[in-house]
Amino acid sequence: MTGLPGHPAPPPALPEIEAIDALVHHWQRGIDQLVSADVTIRTRGVATGWAGPAATAATRAGDSRSHDLAAAVLNGTAAIRSLEEWSGHLAQLRAERDDLLIRIDAAGAELARLAPMPDNTFASPVLRTRAWQQHRDLCADLTSWQARVSKAESGVIDALAAPDPVDALENDSAPRHQAAAESTRRALAEAAAARIPAYLLSYEPDAFGGDGEVVIAFGDPVAASHTGVVVPGITNDAATIDVQSLGALSIEAAATARSTRACTIAWMGYDAPSHPALHGGRLDPRELRDLLRTTGEGAAEDGGHELVDFVAETRAANPHTDVTVIGHSYGSTTAAHAAIDGLTADRLVLLGSPGLGDGVDRSPTSACRLVPSSSARLIGTPSPGSAGRTASRDARSRHTESGWATTPRRQTSVPAASAGRAVRASTSTPSISWCSTTTPTSRRTARSPTTSRRWSSASNRPPSPDAPPRATHSSASGLSTK
Amino acid sequence: MEILHTDPDQIAVPFAELAAAARAWDDAGRQINEGLGVTPAQDTSCCGPQVGPVLAARLARWRRDVTGINSAVGDQADALRACAAASAMADADVARRFG
């Protein structure tokens, strides 16, 4: 093989990463100001020290504007995260491009050096052939690189152009989404009936092979000083978000009663294993396959990654909040996996845990050390006669004996009643509470393989049934149910 | 604004509280304005011909939403001030009637 290869076409110019980062920086500063405004309204703008119809109206108006601000913050944060992710990809792609171009130049130079060498030696043809091959491979890598640039670009375009979850829910009439859509609407209606503002952070009924992703925040996730994230276990998916929301609403109601700016999030953001269900009179083989995942930790590991990302994004939208992650059943295994994956929670509560998983229990690098505590009382009180009652007494007696929890915790009426032995990390972060529970009954529908999802955000607060009619507000972001 | 429809006769609140609440809403309005100020409708050409227009549309949508919120916040502050004034006048009237 003789001659010299032509120089490959120069790769297309990449967007200006520094300019994108600057834009993100400015937008983030703007969002920070909205967060401050939201907190100002929440703390000083609502009626305090006076009562009557004016106070009620002012409080309602304050709630509404605060809700709008939180929605704008969440929407902006979602867009910023997409841009940041894209910028990260671009930086990596730029480095790879520079490296490729250097290597292509070097391969071309090597070919030029070998070109005048006579073929009358054994080595010359071999070396030339190898150099040609290397040059071809590098040019192919450059083509592949361009395809990855296009893919990253498509990703950010999709993310920026995606409808808000509220729009997706309101416009969703697909029969295959019926269960998820109805369950989500029920959850939002429950919140409206309880006069607790609800924010639909994510509605992705096609996620996880059709099991769906739904994330609802009860309480303002932007202004909250305390945030709880409830991680469900097996038999849950988007079609059971209403059942999951009952527990989150109970916690939120209890926190609100203490005048705490709290937010409790029902997080169906991972592919929890399912159980066999009959679909149309036949056993769905996907369900059986999914059930088998319960015996392993694959779903918990995948879900742990999702949970780490979600909590990080929650913190990005509200950097000063205190975060408690509450894992129930298999969700506790998921939360535990998240803990060793870099979960940025201040507290981790594990209920009815089947185990933290081998990688967690035995990891010498785990940040979570388990020691006894009764912090689990925060979560709930077992119903009379429940199997967990005795165990709960045990937990309380331990509390009395140890005297570790100096501040009495309000007990709530979470359906998944807590009981059993309780443990807590000493001073490490996150701290852990662990107690056994009864398993809540929940409905189920189809479920299948894992799909990685990211948090998209929007919000929704359906009108309270007894609230006065409100002017319909249709914004481009789709926050239209006010 | 809902509070605008509240009959002033029904308001029986300390006007100082109303005035304080109005100031809080003014502060919130200023913060939102600052937020809009540091997030101008920027040139998104840095993002390239494909992403740039999509981002510009998204940014414009966000700014439109926030501008609408800010307008509502301003209305709320005005409403609270009006109620505070009505309350103060009622207070003065009561004081006058009782000598």
Side-chain angles (χ1 to χ4, degrees), chain A residues 186-210:
Chain A
R186 270 197 298 274
L188 296 174
E190 287 283 350
R195 291 186 172 278
I196 292 176
Y199 300 77
L200 183 56
L201 301 183
S202 178
Y203 176 74
E204 299 277 353
D206 288 322
F208 309 131

Side-chain angles (χ1 to χ4, degrees), chain A residues 62-415:
Chain A
D63 287 346
S64 185
R65 293 295 83 75
S66 177
H67 185 275
D68 292 343
L69 279 170
V73 169
L74 293 169
N75 285 337
T77 301
I80 281 177
R81 296 293 158 254
S82 304
L83 288 172
E84 283 180 336
E85 191 176 340
W86 184 47
S87 173
H89 283 153
L90 288 178
Q92 187 182 350
L93 287 165
R94 182 165 68 179
E96 289 178 13
R97 179 201 60 187
D98 294 347
D99 179 57
L100 270 174
L101 291 178
I102 289 171
R103 291 166 64 194
I104 287 172
D105 283 347
E110 175 68 1
L111 278 169
R113 188 182 70 82
L114 293 172
M117 291 178 68
D119 281 347
N120 58 2
T121 65
F122 174 73
S124 294
V126 173
L127 289 175
R128 261 200 297 271
T129 303
R130 189 182 298 164
W132 267 100
Q133 186 59 47
Q134 187 182 17
H135 192 274
R136 268 197 300 268
D137 289 347
L138 288 170
C139 289
D141 286 348
L142 193 58
T143 305
S144 164
W145 175 87
Q146 290 174 5
R148 286 194 290 133
V149 171
S150 299
K151 187 178 176 187
E153 198 168 78
S154 299
V156 72
I157 287 174
D158 288 346
L160 290 173
D164 292 320
V166 176
D167 275 350
L169 174 64
E170 289 179 347
N171 299 327
D172 191 355
S173 57
R176 67 182 184 282
H177 299 160
Q178 189 179 355
E182 284 183 2
S183 181
T184 305
R185 291 187 182 108
R186 270 197 298 274
L188 296 174
E190 287 283 350
R195 291 186 172 278
I196 292 176
Y199 300 77
L200 183 56
L201 301 183
S202 178
Y203 176 74
E204 299 277 353
D206 288 322
F208 309 131
D211 284 358
E213 170 185 307
V214 179
V215 180
I216 305 176
F218 299 105
D220 187 342
V222 175
S225 52
H226 297 278
T227 300
V229 180
V230 182
V231 184
I234 62 169
T235 77
N236 282 295
D237 63 7
T240 64
I241 191 67
D242 55 339
V243 180
Q244 300 167 47
S245 294
L246 292 178
L249 274 168
S250 296
I251 295 174
E252 181 61 19
T256 304
R258 299 169 70 187
S259 299
T260 305
R261 286 208 315 274
C263 165
T264 308
I265 298 172
W267 184 74
M268 191 66 253
Y270 82 112
D271 190 11
S274 318
H275 69 101
L278 290 173
H279 295 282
R282 63 179 176 78
L283 192 61
D284 189 331
R286 290 185 314 163
E287 298 289 359
L288 276 175
R289 191 170 59 241
D290 211 13
L291 175 65
L292 292 176
R293 301 176 68 216
T294 315
T295 61
E297 296 175 38
E301 288 178 18
D302 292 346
H305 298 319
E306 301 281 358
L307 183 58
V308 168
D309 289 348
F310 175 76
V311 171
E313 288 166 6
T314 302
R315 279 199 181 281
N318 185 358
H320 305 298
T321 194
D322 170 276
V323 177
T324 300
V325 171
I326 305 157
H328 173 249
S329 184
Y330 194 83
S332 69
T333 311
T334 301
H337 274 284
I340 60 167
D341 281 346
L343 182 71
T344 51
D346 300 284
R347 228 162 281 102
L348 184 57
V349 179
L350 308 177
L351 300 172
S353 180
L356 304 187
D358 287 346
V360 180
D361 287 339
R362 298 169 192 170
S363 170
T365 60
S366 171
C368 308
R369 248 175 350 103
L370 305 180
V371 296
S373 167
S374 61
S375 298
R377 290 179 61 208
L378 173 67
I379 302 306
T381 305
S383 57
S386 73
R389 181 165 186 154
T390 304
S392 182
R393 284 202 190 109
D394 289 348
R396 279 195 289 274
S397 63
R398 273 196 209 97
H399 164 67
T400 306
E401 289 162 12
S402 68
W404 284 345
T406 54
T407 305
R409 309 269 190 169
R410 178 181 292 273
Q411 297 181 359
T412 64
S413 56
V414 180

